[in-house]
Amino acid sequence: MNSPLVDDHAVFINSTVNSVYELIVAIPGSHLVLSYIKNAYQDDPFRIILELFLVFFALKYMLSKKYKPQDNAVKLTEKEIDDLVEEWKPEPLVPSLSALDKLNLDKAPLIIGAQSVKPRVAGHAKPLMNLASTNYLDLQSSERIRQRAIDTLKKYGVGSCGPPGFYGTIDVHMDLERDIARFLGTEEAIIYAQGFSTISSVIPAFSKRGDLLVVDEGVSFAVQKGVQISRSNIRWFKHNDMNDLERVLDEIRVDDMVHKRKLTRRFIVTEGLFANEGDIAPLAKLIELKRKFKYRLILDESHSIGVLGSRGAGLTDMFNIDAKEVDMIVGSMATALCSSGGFCAGSVEIVDHQRLSGSAYCFSASIPAMLAVSTSEALKYIQDEPQLLKVLGERARTFRQALSHKSLETFIELHDSDINSPAPFFHIRINPVFLKSRREELKREDEERLLQDVVDECASQGVLITRAKYVYDQERACPRPSIKVYVTVGLSRKENDKAASILKSAIVKIFGKWKK
């Protein structure tokens, strides 16, 4: 028998449910929703269980206590905080200098005033004869170039502060590109704002992942970076060894036939005048091989432009080869031309492709107008004064002859040792015989210190020379330590001979002490 209280509750619940149902039914279209729910849950009871679980989970999540990361933090007293602050030692922003780094930093010469063939150097009372810069043709002292740069500075200001493809290109930039193309004998040329990033931008602009680069082992650090950035497949051949290059190219050809590989873009990459060795690439043989195996040739002439050939136009001029035979001629305007930036010369298609694909061209501000004009004027200066190239070659040969004396044979060796080489610089390295004659083995740092003692002795006698610098931990095969001598026509023949004699005496003196 039901009690009156239970009956009242049942009546209340039924009336409430009926009221809610009538309210829902009164909504237009509600009968369709109710019919869908009825059929859906009638045919799929698992769905009811899942949705009820999700409803309960949502309610539990919303009603649960909110988590804050600071809730579990350890509460420290003021004294504990002060003690931790006292004990804390920040990590250095840069790694500590090694002994060799300190040597390079301490021995770096500080030039006071303008750069020249006889600059004033801190710590020396008299100017030193400068054999440590690429001022081969003494363009730095040209009043003609200096005045053009000053006039351009007054007209255009310091720089455009914008990339060439946006608003950074002005008339003097286009004039320089035409001047370079005309000077080299190519269809067109493109200029970059930095010399180092030119070759490291040109290579990856054309060679991508899956393409093939066949590269000389002796290329400079800038070329190595370009090869690395491209992420292409790389094959190396022995430095300046055309027989080994042909062997590598033939192995690739046979391997492609065996595995039936797809044809990809392929390039031979080398330097004209090698920065790390001072020798010259055999351009005629390179072109012969690139035709035979159907490769494109990328030639870095950063150190040969302005100094090699009867016109100073580099290897194509020196070997009397049409510049159009080389697919890409890359060079620096910061060496013999005494300006800044770099260039790439080639066909119209080669140049136009870089205007959208050369990273250093697209994302770097344009070269300042005064430097562009200086480069154009330097090219005209070389064309107007071709006899300077002969004088430079003679000075280089004289210097090499002085250092090829028998008294130095046991101490040093020259790279390149060809006395008649037209290269305006060369490396002086310690003779391995001298290293083996010592009781204890000399480490690289010891060799650097020995050569630095020669540099210091020369400076005390009025000659400024320098050791070749390398990025030791990033070079693919770091060259041996060396003194790098740059010859210049800015010094008279008598001064050039005197500088060679001073260097020769310094080598005998310092190496003699170390031998003891």
Side-chain angles (χ1 to χ4, degrees):
M1 183 176 181
N2 295 332
S3 65
L5 182 61
V6 174
D7 292 340
D8 291 342
H9 286 165
V11 171
F12 174 76
I13 292 172
N14 288 333
S15 63
T16 301
V17 171
N18 289 331
S19 299
V20 172
Y21 180 77
E22 291 174 357
L23 181 63
I24 294 174
V25 171
I27 299 174
S30 59
H31 67 284
L32 298 175
V33 176
L34 292 173
S35 177
Y36 169 75
I37 294 175
K38 181 179 178 181
N39 293 332
Y41 286 101
Q42 184 177 0
D43 297 336
D44 191 2
F46 177 75
R47 182 175 178 178
I48 300 174
I49 298 173
L50 177 62
E51 293 191 0
L52 286 175
F53 171 77
L54 294 176
V55 170
F56 287 132
F57 179 79
L59 290 174
K60 182 178 183 303
Y61 178 79
M62 289 185 291
L63 297 176
S64 63
K65 183 180 178 181
K66 300 296 184 292
Y67 169 75
K68 295 181 180 179
Q70 295 81 7
D71 289 347
N72 297 327
V74 178
K75 303 296 182 183
L76 298 177
T77 65
E78 290 294 329
K79 184 177 183 307
E80 289 174 328
I81 293 175
D82 292 339
D83 291 341
L84 289 174
V85 171
E86 287 292 332
E87 294 174 1
W88 180 71
K89 293 182 179 180
E91 291 289 333
L93 295 177
V94 295
S96 57
L97 295 177
S98 65
L100 189 55
D101 292 331
K102 291 179 180 178
L103 174 68
N104 291 332
L105 187 61
D106 294 340
K107 296 297 183 178
L110 176 60
I111 294 179
I112 302 171
Q115 174 71 274
S116 67
V117 293
K118 291 182 180 180
R120 299 194 66 86
V121 180
H124 299 275
K126 297 181 179 180
L128 305 185
M129 289 183 284
N130 190 356
L131 299 177
S133 71
T134 59
N135 184 25
Y136 304 118
L137 303 177
D138 194 23
L139 298 181
Q140 290 175 347
S141 65
S142 172
E143 187 60 33
R144 163 181 166 182
I145 297 176
R146 181 184 291 110
Q147 191 57 50
R148 280 295 308 278
I150 293 173
D151 294 341
T152 306
L153 176 62
K154 292 178 180 178
K155 180 178 180 181
Y156 293 97
V158 176
S160 61
C161 299
F166 191 25
Y167 56 82
T169 298
I170 54 179
D171 55 351
V172 294
H173 295 134
M174 295 185 287
D175 292 341
L176 175 56
E177 290 178 346
R178 284 191 290 269
D179 291 341
I180 292 173
R182 191 181 304 113
F183 181 71
L184 296 176
T186 60
E187 292 181 6
E188 282 195 13
I190 183 173
I191 58 173
Y192 289 78
Q194 299 89 23
F196 182 91
S197 62
T198 300
I199 186 64
S200 58
S201 178
V202 170
I203 293 175
F206 293 93
S207 185
K208 310 291 185 181
R209 188 189 296 274
D211 295 332
L212 179 62
L213 296 173
V214 181
V215 191
D216 190 295
E217 287 182 339
V219 293
S220 66
F221 185 64
V223 181
Q224 294 175 40
K225 289 290 108 177
V227 169
Q228 179 184 0
I229 293 170
S230 73
R231 298 184 295 179
S232 304
N233 298 322
I234 305 168
R235 291 289 301 272
W236 301 89
F237 66 93
K238 295 178 182 179
H239 172 58
N240 240 0
D241 189 335
M242 296 300 101
N243 292 328
D244 192 58
L245 171 58
E246 187 169 10
R247 177 191 61 80
V248 171
L249 296 176
D250 194 56
E251 284 181 359
I252 295 171
R253 181 184 60 81
V254 173
D255 195 47
D256 288 343
M257 293 174 61
V258 171
H259 295 90
K260 297 181 180 179
R261 289 194 174 92
K262 294 181 179 179
L263 183 63
T264 58
R265 288 169 292 199
R266 302 181 173 202
F267 304 86
I268 298 173
V269 183
T270 187
E271 287 184 83
L273 175 55
F274 287 87
N276 291 342
E277 300 295 337
D279 51 355
I280 299 170
L283 183 58
K285 186 63 176 179
L286 284 167
I287 293 177
E288 176 188 333
L289 292 176
K290 79 124 182 172
R291 285 177 179 171
K292 177 179 178 181
F293 292 93
K294 296 179 174 57
Y295 279 64
R296 292 182 175 90
L297 176 60
I298 301 177
L299 183 65
D300 184 359
E301 294 216 63
S302 294
H303 295 275
S304 50
I305 290 296
V307 294
L308 295 186
S310 60
R311 298 185 300 107
L315 259 66
T316 54
D317 180 22
M318 177 180 174
F319 291 106
N320 195 25
I321 295 174
D322 188 349
K324 295 177 183 178
E325 295 287 343
V326 181
D327 299 278
M328 281 164 266
I329 299 177
V330 184
S332 172
M333 299 183 291
T335 50
L337 301 180
C338 295
S339 181
S340 181
F343 65 86
C344 178
S347 65
V348 175
E349 294 79 12
I350 288 290
V351 170
D352 285 348
H353 177 75
Q354 293 176 68
R355 298 197 189 279
L356 293 178
S357 300
S359 57
Y361 181 85
C362 295
F363 303 111
S364 296
S366 299
I367 182 175
M370 60 180 174
L371 293 177
V373 170
S374 297
T375 306
S376 291
E377 196 63 33
L379 293 174
K380 294 176 184 176
Y381 188 95
I382 294 172
Q383 295 175 73
D384 294 341
E385 304 288 342
Q387 71 278 4
L388 291 178
L389 300 173
K390 293 183 179 180
V391 174
L392 180 63
E394 292 174 358
R395 300 284 166 80
R397 282 190 290 272
T398 302
F399 218 114
R400 284 190 178 87
Q401 288 173 355
L403 296 180
S404 299
H405 196 270
K406 290 184 178 180
S407 62
L408 301 180
E409 285 183 354
T410 57
F411 298 141
I412 64 169
E413 58 183 12
L414 299 182
H415 293 261
D416 177 33
S417 59
D418 181 10
I419 295 177
N420 296 317
S421 172
F425 69 86
F426 52 89
H427 290 264
I428 301 173
R429 292 190 167 96
I430 303 174
N431 193 325
V433 175
F434 175 79
L435 297 176
K436 293 178 181 178
S437 66
R438 296 181 57 82
R439 294 179 181 177
E440 69 278 6
E441 182 180 354
L442 287 181
K443 299 179 180 178
R444 183 182 185 93
E445 183 180 334
D446 297 325
E447 292 187 50
E448 296 280 8
R449 290 186 181 280
L450 171 55
L451 295 175
Q452 184 59 47
D453 287 346
V454 175
V455 171
D456 294 341
E457 179 64 24
C458 288
S460 68
Q461 299 296 323
V463 176
L464 178 62
I465 57 174
T466 183
R467 289 181 293 113
K469 305 300 192 302
Y470 305 103
V471 186
Y472 307 109
D473 57 344
Q474 295 188 39
E475 292 272 0
R476 180 180 178 274
C478 191
R480 290 180 54 211
S482 66
I483 292 175
K484 196 172 184 180
V485 178
Y486 301 88
V487 181
T488 175
V489 299
L491 298 176
S492 66
R493 182 179 300 175
K494 183 178 180 180
E495 289 172 328
N496 186 71
D497 294 342
K498 180 181 179 181
S501 178
I502 289 174
L503 177 54
K504 175 183 172 183
S505 300
I507 292 172
V508 173
K509 178 180 179 180
I510 299 301
F511 276 68
K513 289 181 179 179
W514 275 65
K515 191 174 183 180
K516 295 177 182 179

